[in-house]
């Protein structure tokens, strides 16, 4: 048996002898080009029998997501980003340093995700990859976020045409930065 291929309908040419197989994968194709493929085999009498040609266009993995942002909250960080065209989902990575990020979630074709259960006052780095059936993108630019506890000891003191708020802030360093 053999596999045949053409980049235009008709004009099929032999690309491989494959023997008896059920699945054939051609990895030497150009992204975005439509290919027509068929198999050609022999029956008991030795005559050639060709299958009807089918068409397919190989696609590329999506581009990396852009504009990753992080908003820190109480023991959580909410991420948002610009979706990548051709993506079907995203892979979220988190860690305590840029070189030490591990996958924490796979999400669908969304542009926001909240990671919870974090330690207030500890910095976390986060990046994401876009995914589709053809692979994964490079990772996005990482961002750093530091979850913060809500203010405590909030008290309001009424005054003449004003209210004065007094509170205690637990953590006062910047909560979010690009890395």
């Amino acid at each position: 048996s053999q596999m045949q291929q053409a980049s235009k309908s008709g004009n099929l040419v032999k690309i491989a002898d494959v023997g008896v197989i059920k699945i054939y994968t051609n990895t030497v194709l150009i992204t975005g080009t439509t290919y027509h493929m068929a198999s050609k085999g022999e029956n008991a009498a030795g005559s050639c029998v060709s299958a009807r040609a089918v068409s397919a266009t190989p696609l590329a993995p999506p581009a990396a997501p852009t504009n990753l942002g992080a908003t820190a909250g109480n023991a959580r960080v909410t991420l948002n980003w610009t979706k990548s065209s051709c993506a079907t989902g995203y892979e979220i990575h988190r860690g305590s340093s840029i070189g030490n990020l591990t996958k924490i979630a796979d999400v669908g074709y969304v542009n926001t995700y909240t990671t919870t259960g974090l330690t207030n006052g500890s910095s976390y780095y986060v990046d994401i990859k876009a995914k589709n059936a053809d692979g994964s993108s490079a990772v996005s630019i990482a961002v750093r976020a530091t979850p913060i506890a809500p203010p405590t000891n909030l008290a309001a003191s009424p005054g003449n045409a004003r209210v004065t708020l007094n509170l205690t802030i637990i953590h006062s360093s910047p909560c979010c930065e690009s890395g």
Side-chain angles (χ1 to χ4, degrees):
S1 295
Q2 61 179 252
M3 290 302 298
Q4 297 179 328
Q5 169 182 306
S7 57
K8 295 183 179 179
S9 188
N11 305 325
L12 291 167
V13 296
K14 175 182 164 183
I15 58 169
D17 286 314
V18 294
V20 179
I21 62 166
K22 293 182 180 181
I23 297 174
Y24 174 77
T25 302
N26 187 345
T27 58
V28 188
L29 301 175
I30 299 171
T31 300
T33 301
T34 300
Y35 292 89
H36 308 280
M37 310 272 299
S39 63
K40 185 175 185 180
E42 295 181 3
N43 61 20
S47 302
C48 291
V49 178
S50 291
R52 182 178 66 85
V54 294
S55 299
T57 304
L59 302 174
T66 57
N67 302 315
L68 177 61
T71 304
N74 185 17
R76 69 180 55 227
V77 172
T78 299
L79 308 170
N80 56 63
W81 58 89
T82 301
K83 291 179 179 179
S84 300
S85 63
C86 300
T88 56
Y90 298 92
E91 186 176 290
I92 315 293
H93 307 103
R94 182 186 72 210
S96 58
S97 64
I98 289 180
N100 190 27
L101 304 183
T102 57
K103 178 179 158 182
I104 60 166
D106 281 309
V107 297
Y109 188 62
V110 298
N111 68 336
T112 187
Y113 176 78
T114 300
T115 178
T116 60
L118 305 177
T119 302
N120 289 331
S122 294
S123 291
Y124 296 89
Y125 290 87
V126 184
D127 66 23
I128 58 175
K129 284 184 180 182
K131 301 186 323 180
N132 67 18
D134 296 301
S136 297
S137 71
V139 294
S140 67
I141 293 173
V143 294
R144 182 178 72 134
T146 304
I148 54 173
T152 60
N153 303 324
L154 181 62
S157 304
N160 185 13
R162 67 181 181 168
V163 173
T164 301
L165 297 175
N166 294 310
L167 55 104
T168 303
I169 298 176
I170 303 300
H171 191 273
S172 61
S173 70
C175 67
C176 306
E177 309 176 356
S178 291

